[in-house]
Amino acid sequence: MAKKPSAPAAPAKASRTSATTAAKAAARNTDSGPAQGAVDGDEDPALQKAVQTESAAQSLAFNATKAAEHGAANGLNPPPGATASFPSRLPTASTLSESQTNDKTGTQAPEGRNATISSLDRVRVDSLGQPLTTNQGVRIADNQNSLKAGTRGPVLLEDFILRDKLTHFDHERIPERIVHARGSAAHGYFEAYEALPALTKAAPFREAGKRTPVFVRFSTVAGERGSKDTARDVRGFAVKFYTDEGNWDLVGNNMPVFFIQDAMKFPDLVHAVKPEPHHGMPQAASAHDTFWDFVSLMPESTHMLMWVMSDRAIPRSYATMQGFGVHTYRMVNEAGESVFVKFHWSPKAGTHSLVWDEAVKISGADPDFHRRDLWERIESGAFPEYELGLQVFTEEEAARFSFDVLDATKIVPEELVPVRPVGRLVLDRNPDNFFAETEQVAFCTANIIPGLDFSNDPLLAGRIHSYVDTQISRLGGPNFHEIPINSPIAPVHNNQRDGMHRQAIHRGRVAYEPNSLGGGCPFQAGAAQGFTSVAARLQAREDQAKVRAKPELFAEHYNQARLFYESQTPPEQAHIAAAFRFELSKVTVPAIRERMVASLRNASEELAARVAEGLNMPLPEPMPLAIGKPPKPEVRTSPALSLTARPGDGSIAGRKVVILVADGVAGQTVSTVHASLFEQGAVPRYAATRIGPVATSDGVAIQADVSLENEPGFLFDALALPDGDEAIDALHRDAHVFEFIRDQFRHCKPILALGQGVRLLEAAGLGPALSPVPAPGIHLATTAEEGVRALIADLGGPRHFDRETDPPRV
């Protein structure tokens, strides 16, 4: 007789099955759940997600870091956030259906990675061999005609292809930057010379030879996007470091100081220098009433005015322009110790400028002069290179200076704190698309990384806020950091969501911290890995109460203006005086001129007298000082402030030389000059009355690649005149030739005359400059070898300002 099964077994098994079924059913609901946690024991994905989520939530029973949010000691050393681990990826999924894939959805999000963050290869487009499509990917059969009701009928509203094309076109432009609107940019890298562990833990300085990708944008400040490159203006020098710890933006200028001390005055400054609002003039110029009215009432601007009126304001090229961080920043090491630092970029090719007459002429012939130069240098392999130098000093050293290091109108003279070279910047790749990269790049002084921090500079504080504010307006919303040129190469994980033009598609339902449903992720990194601000501040210079005031030393406005002027060579001082004379002559209100000259008397009696004489006005009384007893400056002159102290390495790479040619020219001679210059990295060009083949006297084939009318002589760094009587006679008949010669001479550039080429110099009125010996920079040679050696040696050095006259005689 068969034995009957025990009675209780079936109910127990049924109970377990019922509980599992109930748990599986509950796991499929999104708005409520059982009182008890889910029961494990089944491979059902929804159930497993519920079980593992419950386990993680239980393991994070309370906020373990909450107690560490309080107290100064904890504030200096925050702990990393608490996290939980999961046996699978199910709990953190947005949806269980992520296993379903197709050509659009792709697969699951890569674990622990933001796939939108990688090289620009992810967004580059090449349409070679591809048909035209709409923005929705529909292939376009006819790109020539709108859809009409008959060949002569009206265009139909249903033409979605026309609307797709025109709608995008109508919205292609974005608001331009309020300042720094006109810019040029390039990709490259920063390479550290050595590790700097004693100074900073910042990623670019972690080891010798480490290369950090960069994107650098140069710009004018006052002009609009379509203005000229060669305006007298400050130049932006902004470097975005794509470090492995996030983006660091060193947003500086080609001058180490600024017009104002507090960001409260920045809108006033920009409104004053921009075109006057009643008639919208002048464009990209400070030579007008409102600017000089403002700065003449702001004596703190005097030091900056010396720089802006100097040759620094009209650089020869971006490749021969210094850059500065302007503000005092902090560097912080692993131990949390900080020092003050100022940043300097020094071009390998030296710091060189244009002369005013040359800049004015270039702006008419080629308003893209600097943009074109930067592009062509990189395309030809003459990569611009700069050295990064640091001025490092302690808070105690800063307290002993006769000026306040938080004052952006002051420099720290190199005689007080030498500049220490720490790395080099090389620009070696032009952008693929100007709008996508150069125009959409967004720099911000707030973008720093562990190992760097801010000082209490009040102008810097305003910049930290203002840049982000303008970028939200320009670039369409808060997600401008996702535009490819702005995105970092370091991982990006946070709880920011939504907003206009969001690109990232985040996995999971958690968008807050602290959390347990996402295992506590993303979690705060803690002091050991994350960014922490320097807590210690120098108390000797800082009031404890909240006040709207400046430190007392900010009231000293003229010592460093005097230092800059007296550190210049006589030709540079003459240029500063001439610049003040020109700018103030454009002012229509005499009282503003008088006020400005009165201010200059406090900086330099000599300069004020020269400017007053140039304006044909009596010397006014000095402007009253804002400080009763000015501190005695430590440094009276600083040779490093003169451009002549920064000639560069003598390289002529990227320099442009024009060689005049005509039928009958001695072909072998000019060909030798051309080849020798090109071998040294220069860009030589043959110029004739017309482009095309030139019949040489010796049968050497030469093609003129520019004409004397389409490339004026002032666009070139040097001039070579050919040998050959017939060619000289032909060139003598073209008046452009004498403009070439006179501009080269007047702009103090090198001139080479080969053999009979000297006749052209004499015909141009330079006879007195040739006798009894040629003036500096004029080279007369009988052989090409002799002449090109002299030209190359000269071209790599400073200009010959000793042949300059005011007013010009040639």
Side-chain angles (χ1 to χ4, degrees):
M1 187 176 210
K3 188 176 181 182
K4 293 182 179 180
S6 58
K13 180 177 180 180
S15 176
R16 286 195 301 272
T17 301
S18 175
T20 301
T21 300
K24 289 163 66 173
R28 283 157 170 74
N29 292 292
T30 58
D31 63 346
S32 184
Q36 301 298 320
V39 179
D40 199 356
D42 194 283
E43 296 303 315
D44 179 75
L47 180 58
Q48 285 300 309
K49 179 174 183 175
V51 168
Q52 293 174 29
T53 300
E54 173 71 9
S55 176
Q58 288 177 349
S59 70
L60 296 174
F62 64 96
N63 185 347
T65 62
K66 195 65 181 176
E69 294 176 12
H70 312 87
N74 287 328
L76 292 173
N77 190 34
T83 62
S85 60
F86 297 99
S88 78
R89 300 191 68 197
L90 286 172
T92 56
S94 303
T95 168
L96 293 176
S97 66
E98 68 178 3
S99 60
Q100 306 300 316
T101 65
N102 60 40
D103 289 342
K104 177 61 177 176
T105 64
T107 59
Q108 294 181 358
E111 185 170 357
R113 190 165 75 87
N114 183 337
T116 67
I117 305 301
S118 62
S119 78
L120 293 180
D121 286 346
R122 64 191 169 92
V123 290
R124 288 198 169 98
V125 178
D126 186 348
S127 297
L128 182 65
Q130 301 301 312
L132 276 170
T133 72
T134 68
N135 283 326
Q136 305 303 318
V138 178
R139 293 187 178 189
I140 298 173
D142 184 343
N143 192 46
Q144 317 308 319
N145 301 289
S146 304
L147 184 65
K148 309 177 188 73
T151 57
R152 302 187 68 251
V155 174
L156 300 177
L157 189 61
E158 69 183 78
D159 190 350
F160 70 95
I161 295 176
L162 175 66
R163 286 189 288 114
D164 178 89
K165 192 171 181 179
L166 287 183
T167 299
H168 190 278
F169 174 76
D170 292 343
H171 298 270
E172 281 180 358
R173 294 294 173 264
I174 62 175
E176 71 175 29
R177 292 167 171 86
I178 295 172
V179 286
H180 297 274
R182 180 170 181 82
S184 306
H187 293 276
Y189 62 86
F190 172 76
E191 181 178 22
Y193 290 159
E194 58 181 320
L196 301 174
L199 296 180
T200 180
K201 60 182 178 180
F205 309 106
R206 286 276 177 87
E207 59 186 73
K210 180 175 182 178
R211 289 189 174 185
T212 301
V214 300
F215 190 68
V216 180
R217 186 176 186 269
F218 305 105
S219 56
T220 53
V221 173
E224 295 171 4
R225 193 158 54 191
S227 59
K228 59 193 178 185
D229 278 354
T230 57
R232 176 178 292 281
D233 199 358
V234 189
R235 298 300 190 282
F237 194 126
V239 183
K240 185 180 289 290
F241 294 79
Y242 300 97
T243 84
D244 44 21
E245 293 193 343
N247 287 356
W248 167 34
D249 292 350
L250 182 53
V251 194
N253 290 330
N254 72 324
M255 301 177 191
V257 290
F258 203 60
F259 294 95
I260 52 176
Q261 296 170 325
D262 194 299
M264 184 71 81
K265 303 307 297 174
F266 192 75
D268 301 285
L269 168 67
V270 174
H271 289 168
V273 76
K274 283 286 190 176
E276 298 189 8
H278 62 305
H279 56 34
M281 296 184 290
Q283 174 60 236
S286 56
H288 59 102
D289 289 6
T290 58
F291 174 75
W292 288 98
D293 183 39
F294 176 76
V295 295
S296 65
L297 293 169
M298 297 285 287
E300 69 200 60
S301 299
T302 310
H303 186 200
M304 182 62 172
L305 290 173
M306 293 293 181
W307 286 80
V308 177
M309 294 300 110
S310 78
D311 295 341
R312 303 282 187 141
I314 41 177
R316 161 61 184 82
S317 66
Y318 292 135
T320 56
M321 184 180 82
Q322 276 186 285
F324 303 89
V326 180
H327 305 284
T328 299
Y329 290 88
R330 290 177 181 268
M331 279 186 157
V332 188
N333 63 18
E334 290 284 3
E337 301 162 334
S338 79
V339 290
F340 282 139
V341 62
K342 281 184 171 287
F343 297 100
H344 296 244
W345 295 108
S346 296
K348 181 181 178 182
T351 308
H352 303 284
S353 294
L354 303 171
V355 295
W356 178 242
D357 180 75
E358 179 185 18
V360 171
K361 289 175 176 175
I362 287 173
S363 69
D366 186 4
D368 303 310
F369 185 70
H370 288 151
R371 179 175 292 176
R372 191 181 316 282
D373 180 271
L374 179 66
W375 181 275
E376 290 179 350
R377 282 176 187 264
I378 294 174
E379 290 295 288
S380 65
F383 301 144
E385 183 172 331
Y386 311 81
E387 187 168 67
L388 178 61
L390 308 180
Q391 281 183 299
V392 178
F393 48 97
T394 65
E395 295 187 5
E396 291 71 26
E397 289 171 326
R400 294 193 290 269
F401 294 157
S402 65
F403 51 90
D404 198 314
V405 298
L406 302 184
D407 182 353
T409 70
K410 305 294 195 300
I411 64 169
V412 177
E414 294 183 35
E415 289 75 10
L416 287 181
V417 181
V419 176
R420 173 183 175 181
V422 296
R424 67 184 186 123
L425 169 69
V426 179
L427 302 181
D428 60 1
R429 177 167 177 163
N430 281 315
D432 284 292
N433 183 273
F434 184 90
F435 178 84
E437 296 168 83
T438 304
E439 189 62 25
Q440 288 198 126
V441 68
F443 295 91
C444 182
T445 50
N447 295 344
I448 58 172
I449 55 176
L452 299 168
D453 206 350
F454 309 112
S455 71
N456 286 347
D457 181 333
L459 180 59
L460 175 58
R463 292 181 72 195
I464 292 170
H465 161 77
S466 186
Y467 280 59
V468 172
D469 209 27
T470 60
Q471 286 152 8
I472 290 173
S473 175
R474 283 191 68 242
L475 299 172
N479 291 314
F480 63 86
H481 59 278
E482 290 193 326
I483 295 172
I485 192 63
N486 295 320
S487 66
I489 59 175
V492 172
H493 297 285
N494 55 46
N495 294 312
Q496 297 176 19
R497 297 291 187 270
D498 308 338
M500 292 180 67
H501 310 305
R502 189 67 175 178
Q503 304 296 308
I505 301 174
H506 290 87
R507 183 175 182 270
R509 57 176 167 166
V510 170
Y512 54 90
E513 187 280 329
N515 70 73
S516 66
L517 297 179
C521 300
F523 57 91
Q524 69 178 37
Q529 298 185 54
F531 179 88
T532 55
S533 297
V534 175
R537 302 294 188 196
L538 182 64
Q539 299 303 315
R541 289 288 183 86
E542 297 173 12
D543 299 326
Q544 297 307 302
K546 291 183 177 180
V547 295
R548 292 189 183 273
K550 299 183 180 75
E552 286 80 359
L553 281 179
F554 276 46
E556 196 296 297
H557 301 138
Y558 296 105
N559 278 349
Q560 293 206 350
R562 185 181 307 110
L563 169 67
F564 182 84
Y565 181 74
E566 294 183 357
S567 299
Q568 307 300 298
T569 61
E572 291 172 313
Q573 291 179 338
H575 293 170
I576 292 173
F580 274 108
R581 181 185 69 204
F582 172 84
E583 297 262 329
L584 292 173
S585 72
K586 291 280 192 175
V587 170
T588 64
V589 182
I592 295 176
R593 287 195 208 111
E594 294 174 13
R595 187 191 306 142
M596 193 63 240
V597 175
S599 179
L600 289 178
R601 289 195 67 179
N602 293 324
S604 169
E605 287 285 359
E606 180 206 8
L607 173 60
R610 293 173 75 165
V611 174
E613 181 184 8
L615 294 170
N616 202 20
M617 59 178 279
L619 201 59
E621 290 296 314
M623 182 177 287
L625 298 178
I627 189 170
K629 187 177 181 181
K632 183 178 179 181
E634 301 90 339
V635 180
R636 295 287 183 180
T637 60
S638 176
L641 296 177
S642 168
L643 289 179
T644 60
R646 302 180 181 278
D649 58 3
S651 167
I652 65 170
R655 295 297 187 102
K656 293 187 174 182
V657 182
V658 61
I659 305 170
L660 302 194
V661 293
D663 287 349
V665 69
Q668 185 58 56
T669 303
V670 293
S671 178
T672 298
V673 172
H674 188 286
S676 299
L677 290 167
F678 186 77
E679 184 181 350
Q680 294 295 316
V683 184
R685 306 196 76 177
Y686 292 121
T689 300
R690 300 288 182 267
I691 60 174
V694 176
T696 64
S697 61
D698 49 9
V700 174
I702 286 179
Q703 289 269 351
D705 51 350
V706 298
S707 73
L708 297 177
E709 66 177 356
N710 74 9
E711 291 279 331
F714 47 77
L715 297 177
F716 297 92
D717 297 293
L719 167 67
L721 302 174
D723 197 4
D725 286 334
E726 183 183 346
I728 299 304
D729 291 341
L731 291 170
H732 198 284
R733 293 191 290 271
D734 190 331
H736 288 110
V737 170
F738 304 115
E739 295 172 2
F740 268 68
I741 294 171
R742 289 170 184 144
D743 282 336
Q744 290 285 319
F745 182 83
R746 181 176 175 181
H747 301 158
C748 307
K749 298 175 183 177
I751 300 174
L752 168 63
L754 297 164
Q756 291 300 310
V758 69
R759 289 169 45 201
L760 293 174
L761 296 179
E762 294 168 343
L766 267 61
L770 305 177
S771 179
V773 295
I778 297 181
H779 306 285
L780 309 180
T782 56
T783 68
E785 291 77 11
E786 170 196 356
V788 76
R789 278 197 303 271
L791 185 61
I792 289 172
D794 197 359
L795 187 57
R799 299 198 186 199
H800 297 282
F801 289 126
D802 43 1
R803 71 187 194 211
E804 191 174 44
T805 58
D806 185 13
R809 297 195 185 98
V810 174

